[in-house]
Amino acid sequence: AQSVTQLGSHVSVSEGALVLLRCNYSSSVPPYLFWYVQYPNQGLQLLLKYTTGATLVKGINGFEAEFKKSETSFHLTKPSAHMSDAAEYFCAVSDNGASGTYKYIFGTGTRLKVLA
Amino acid sequence: EAQVTQNPRYLITVTGKKLTVTCSQNMNHEYMSWYRQDPGLGLRQIYYSMNVEVTDKGDVPEGYKVSRKEKRNFPLILESPSPNQTSLYFCASSAQSAGGTRREQYFGPGTRLTVT
């Protein structure tokens, strides 16, 4: 079964500092990986996704993530944090049907706080 | 405007009183899904549907029912709600691509359910 682990339920960074949110996955087949962001009192929206091809994926709002198969990781980064980045971030993996299911598995989330 | 809508947005009910939360999408998406979000647990998939009349269990299906009679609608039914089903519920939809659910999901605004 596929799974996702997000290290750190809360992360604080100073405005202008590097943002690094960690995600490790477990999958017996090539994974489809996603990062979503949830602003307060809103639904989730896609930041970026990896399906196949280039392992460095660029998303919206200056975020990017690198798929590292050897480390089973898909960490999210942004070079310079902005106050508007304060939100909760979720890593997710989707089944591709190889195991007979098409589930989506989400991590437990990381709440990012940006300090002025 | 492409969107996923859910109704109601807020619901307070009592134990054992059947309720239905509606979900509708206008993007002609094949895949639809229900999640519940609880603090510290992230999003957990309840049920998903690959297309009309095709549904399958997610990771936490107990106490819930779904149906997919039309492509655009995917209602969530709680036949006998209990307090442990108090949660924030999200409906989501995505286009289906060959080989699995590699497309990103579009989320509704959420339904906050309280069962007393």
Side-chain angles (χ1 to χ4, degrees):
Chain A
Q2 304 202 70
S3 65
V4 171
T5 302
Q6 290 185 243
L7 295 176
S9 58
H10 291 81
V11 170
S12 293
V13 299
S14 298
E15 192 174 20
L18 172 72
V19 175
L20 171 60
L21 305 182
R22 299 178 187 274
C23 173
N24 288 88
Y25 69 91
S26 171
S27 175
S28 58
V29 297
Y32 304 136
L33 296 160
F34 306 83
W35 275 100
Y36 289 85
V37 61
Q38 184 181 32
Y39 297 104
N41 300 314
Q42 294 186 25
L44 281 72
Q45 61 185 83
L46 182 75
L47 270 180
L48 49 80
K49 64 180 180 181
Y50 169 80
T51 53
T52 58
T55 56
L56 181 62
V57 180
K58 294 186 184 300
I60 62 171
N61 300 337
F63 284 93
E64 62 182 38
E66 186 171 10
F67 170 63
K68 292 187 176 180
K69 185 178 179 180
S70 61
E71 298 177 7
T72 61
S73 69
F74 191 56
H75 301 331
L76 182 70
T77 61
K78 182 174 181 178
S80 177
H82 191 272
M83 298 297 289
S84 61
D85 294 327
E88 189 155 23
Y89 293 80
F90 293 93
C91 183
V93 61
S94 75
D95 274 338
N96 63 0
S99 58
T101 74
Y102 292 90
K103 295 180 181 179
Y104 262 84
I105 310 298
F106 281 81
T108 53
T110 297
R111 188 170 297 277
L112 176 66
K113 186 175 181 179
V114 182
L115 307 171
Chain B
E1 179 189 357
Q3 59 182 350
V4 178
T5 57
Q6 297 178 227
N7 282 293
R9 295 287 313 280
Y10 301 90
L11 179 59
I12 301 174
T13 190
V14 296
T15 299
K17 185 177 181 180
K18 181 179 179 179
L19 67 91
T20 299
V21 184
T22 65
C23 173
S24 183
Q25 50 95 4
N26 62 1
M27 295 169 279
N28 201 36
H29 284 166
E30 293 83 6
Y31 187 97
M32 296 187 74
S33 181
W34 276 101
Y35 299 88
R36 59 178 291 172
Q37 182 178 16
D38 301 289
L41 298 178
L43 276 79
R44 293 178 292 168
Q45 193 171 39
I46 303 170
Y47 271 96
Y48 65 92
S49 170
M50 297 291 288
N51 215 321
V52 175
E53 303 291 1
V54 181
T55 62
D56 206 349
K57 297 178 180 178
D59 286 332
V60 289
E62 294 77 20
Y64 304 94
K65 286 178 59 176
V66 293
S67 67
R68 187 94 180 271
K69 297 186 183 344
E70 303 167 284
K71 195 172 186 179
R72 63 183 293 126
N73 296 322
F74 191 46
L76 179 70
I77 302 159
L78 285 72
E79 296 215 325
S80 184
S82 63
N84 64 12
Q85 292 178 299
T86 293
S87 188
L88 179 59
Y89 291 86
F90 287 102
C91 181
S93 73
S94 66
Q96 179 72 351
S97 60
T101 53
R102 67 184 71 186
R103 300 289 183 92
E104 66 270 23
Q105 294 190 88
Y106 295 81
F107 283 80
T111 295
R112 188 165 293 281
L113 172 64
T114 302
V115 183
T116 62

